[in-house]
Amino acid sequence: MPDSATPPRHPFETGLDRTPANYVPLTPVSLLARGAAAHGAKVAVIDGDRRITYAELYGRCRRLASGLAARGIGRLDTVAILAANIPEMIEAHYAVPMLGAVLNPLNTRLDAATIAFSLRHGGARALLVDADYAALAARALAELDAPLLVIAIGGSAGLDGAGLDGDGLDGAVPYEALLEGGDPDHPWTGPADEWQSLCLLYTSGTTGDPKGAVYSHRGAYLQALGNAVTFGLGADSVYLWTLPMFHCSGWSYPWACVAAGATQVCLRKVEPAAIFRLIAAHGVTHLCGAPIVLSLIAHAPAHERTAFAHTVRCATGGAAPSSTIIRTMEEMGFRVTHLYGATESYGPATACLAQPDWTDLTADERYLRMARQGVALATLDAAIVADPETAEPVPRDGSTVGEIFLRGNTIMKGYLGNPEATARTLAGGWYRTGDLGVWHPDGAVEIKDRAKDIIISGGENISSLEVEEVLMRHPAVMLAAVVARPDATWGETPCAFLEVKPGTEPPEEAELVAFCRERMARFKVPKTVVFGPLPKTSTGKIQKFVLRDQARAL
């Protein structure tokens, strides 16, 4: 007789099992296999005079995987890469996961000691080096105790490994030679478990050592689809690499572009003249970049601009772009989408989506709405603004400040070797971003500040972003950063650091103060104004911790 203590299985749980026919672990590598089958003869990557079709890209990636495997690289081994936005960086995003290994894109703008820390902490077994960064790589490798397999990618000096002599990488394996010896039909099966680690991305780490966020195959696959849907990528899209591919794996766009069957155009260095030239030459339809990139484009002098007749979709993240920048970009033929995310969320997690009632708004009101951080991507489970103490959602009134929480499959697995930081960041079932914002009635999130950037003056909370937004409406101001400066009477007051537009004289402080007083409460107006270049991180973010030190010393 059947055991009465064991309830019978439900019909939907009987005979409906996972099999290789109906369940395959998700991996972004499958997107390239599909791309080669569907768009084999189509150009996948453009780099100067080089053209690589989807079929060739797939073959090159399999050759690279084969070459790495022949040299002992396998499952969960870390393969680092130090390179600019070149085709080989795209290839690494597929070849390394083909082996079940973990790709570690390194920030080319960091110092040798930080590069060495990342290689050591991530347990790198191999390092792919763009020849243009050979000297930096050599200095970093000199700080390591154990040697690595070094593979040299020919940079601006050529594709045969030239330009490496004397840079300390004389024993490196040339990249193209590795591919020549590789198998273009190298078999790959994907991960046995889609939760398997795929990528290791180090945060910028303004205090202490950087933390290594770990991505999964599942998360990368879903983020690729989320990006493609949100940004409107399709087979006719041409994506320009104005965003560093080492930053959050290029916000996951090496995978998103291939998922859509788009063409990727490489760009080694962000220069306005090159951006305009490539847009016109290749019919670029999409690009991404930090607000500083938008600022460079918007303020490019006339002689650096090349005319183009089509609309270019431009996605930006990081600090909220000013409504002035959005207006200027739109007037130049760009359609701006504001995104929000972090290394911990595979790049974009939310997007500002235009609403039907925006057509009834004035231009100024619409640009302010466009600068909001928006709603969750379709592949993210949820984005909320919550009380950081209780984790209860705040009212959707557009004024109650809380912390932005994210949750879903496109949140990192955690920080490598740092369970304490992982537990703090992924607490209570949410990724706690540390960003403060409000929730609007239409569901859109709007960042007000980083928790550490709120200025408390005389008991009043002042959003530095709000003050920066007003300052950047001044016709002479290109960039603004506002931090707290200690004050004997008020505790602290706003201190503004301003970078003026090229060829523009700094305005008088009294003029700026009057400009601000017309547009905000008096207690929010900066009490101190400093002109000059703003310090920035390697990814273009303004280093407010440096400015805080400067403000305290004034």
Side-chain angles (χ1 to χ4, degrees):
M1 294 181 63
D3 185 354
S4 59
T6 303
R9 293 183 68 190
H10 193 280
F12 283 116
E13 297 175 332
T14 305
L16 303 174
D17 301 319
R18 291 183 183 181
T19 74
N22 61 23
Y23 177 80
V24 178
L26 302 177
T27 174
V29 179
S30 66
L31 301 174
L32 179 57
R34 183 260 176 189
H39 312 287
K42 180 183 177 181
V43 174
V45 181
I46 296 173
D47 180 38
D49 294 332
R50 297 175 70 189
R51 301 292 185 274
I52 303 173
T53 67
Y54 267 93
E56 291 168 341
L57 179 62
Y58 189 38
R60 285 176 62 84
C61 290
R62 296 174 83 175
R63 286 180 182 276
L64 176 55
S66 174
L68 290 171
R71 286 160 176 78
I73 303 300
R75 182 178 182 273
L76 297 183
D77 287 335
T78 302
V79 177
I81 181 168
L82 186 66
N85 287 349
I86 55 177
E88 291 79 5
M89 180 66 109
I90 298 171
E91 291 166 2
H93 274 82
Y94 290 93
V96 174
M98 281 181 180
L99 297 174
V102 179
L103 182 66
N104 176 207
L106 297 170
N107 188 330
T108 59
R109 301 162 185 166
L110 295 178
D111 59 278
T114 306
I115 296 289
F117 168 85
S118 299
L119 293 171
R120 190 182 305 111
H121 183 268
R125 296 258 336 261
L127 173 64
L128 281 66
V129 183
D130 181 343
D132 284 2
Y133 301 101
L136 173 61
R139 292 195 299 272
L141 291 169
E143 297 190 22
L144 301 181
D145 297 327
L148 304 181
L149 168 64
V150 179
I151 300 163
I153 305 167
S156 58
L159 297 173
D160 56 358
L164 296 175
D165 294 342
D167 283 325
L169 298 180
D170 298 353
V173 178
Y175 185 90
E176 291 300 321
L178 183 75
L179 264 63
E180 286 175 10
D183 181 3
D185 298 316
H186 179 75
W188 64 273
T189 58
D193 182 351
E194 60 190 18
W195 183 244
Q196 183 174 311
S197 298
L198 165 82
C199 249
L200 172 64
L201 286 305
Y202 282 94
T203 59
S204 54
T206 55
T207 58
D209 290 326
K211 298 187 290 290
V214 179
Y215 292 178
S216 70
H217 283 254
R218 176 181 178 83
Y221 181 95
L222 292 172
Q223 183 70 15
L225 300 187
N227 281 352
V229 169
T230 302
F231 203 21
L233 289 174
D236 294 331
S237 299
V238 180
Y239 182 90
L240 177 61
W241 275 108
T242 47
L243 175 79
M245 277 190 241
F246 62 69
H247 183 46
C248 310
S249 276
W251 293 358
S252 299
Y253 275 96
W255 303 308
C257 289
V258 168
T263 297
Q264 301 177 65
V265 180
C266 294
L267 176 66
R268 278 185 164 270
K269 186 177 181 181
V270 174
E271 296 173 328
I275 292 171
F276 280 100
R277 176 176 53 79
L278 291 173
I279 288 173
H282 301 299
V284 168
T285 59
H286 295 73
L287 61 85
C288 295
I292 184 64
V293 175
L294 271 63
S295 181
L296 288 172
I297 295 173
H299 297 114
H303 70 272
E304 293 187 355
R305 302 184 188 184
T306 302
F308 55 91
H310 62 287
T311 298
V312 178
R313 294 192 62 173
C314 174
T316 188
S322 73
S323 55
T324 303
I325 291 293
I326 294 177
R327 177 196 293 270
T328 304
M329 292 290 289
E330 213 173 64
E331 292 171 348
M332 294 171 66
F334 295 87
R335 194 168 109 212
V336 178
T337 298
H338 191 217
L339 307 173
Y340 165 73
T343 302
E344 290 84 350
S345 62
Y346 295 68
T350 72
C352 187
L353 304 180
Q355 302 300 316
D357 63 348
W358 288 13
T359 57
D360 300 326
L361 301 175
T362 66
D364 287 342
E365 289 172 333
R366 184 167 62 86
Y367 293 131
L368 288 172
R369 295 283 183 93
M370 290 173 66
R372 291 178 181 172
Q373 284 61 45
V375 296
L377 266 62
T379 44
L380 185 75
D381 180 60
I384 66 171
V385 181
D387 184 307
E389 298 297 327
T390 67
E392 290 296 320
V394 302
R396 296 192 185 194
D397 56 11
S399 61
T400 304
V401 176
E403 184 178 351
I404 300 173
F405 288 7
L406 305 175
R407 179 175 66 198
N409 294 291
T410 53
I411 300 300
M412 67 168 183
K413 295 175 66 171
Y415 297 118
L416 181 67
N418 198 335
E420 295 82 7
T422 298
R424 286 195 305 270
T425 304
L426 305 181
W430 293 94
Y431 162 46
R432 298 178 177 239
T433 67
D435 289 317
L436 301 180
V438 297
W439 217 354
H440 288 277
D442 62 2
V445 171
E446 180 184 2
I447 291 179
K448 287 301 182 182
D449 232 326
R450 291 289 296 176
K452 61 188 177 184
D453 291 340
I454 285 287
I455 302 165
I456 304 175
S457 183
E460 297 281 0
N461 287 352
I462 302 172
S463 164
S464 64
L465 293 182
E466 179 185 350
V467 182
E468 290 162 6
E469 160 69 27
V470 171
L471 287 166
M472 289 180 66
R473 292 184 210 167
H474 191 282
V477 176
M478 183 170 73
L479 292 175
V482 176
V483 299
R485 182 190 178 198
D487 185 275
T489 302
W490 302 104
E492 53 190 27
T493 57
C495 176
F497 292 84
L498 306 176
E499 195 170 311
V500 298
K501 296 175 182 177
T504 303
E505 289 295 321
E508 295 292 332
E509 183 172 331
E511 177 193 340
L512 268 176
V513 169
F515 180 86
C516 291
R517 283 181 176 174
E518 293 177 1
R519 293 163 176 81
M520 68 175 72
R522 292 177 68 92
F523 72 89
K524 299 180 181 181
V525 175
K527 302 297 187 291
T528 312
V529 179
V530 180
F531 292 99
L534 302 184
K536 303 174 185 71
T537 69
S538 57
T539 55
K541 296 178 182 177
I542 296 171
Q543 295 177 307
K544 284 196 171 181
F545 70 97
V546 174
L547 297 179
R548 288 190 197 97
D549 289 342
Q550 294 179 12
R552 282 193 289 267
L554 291 174

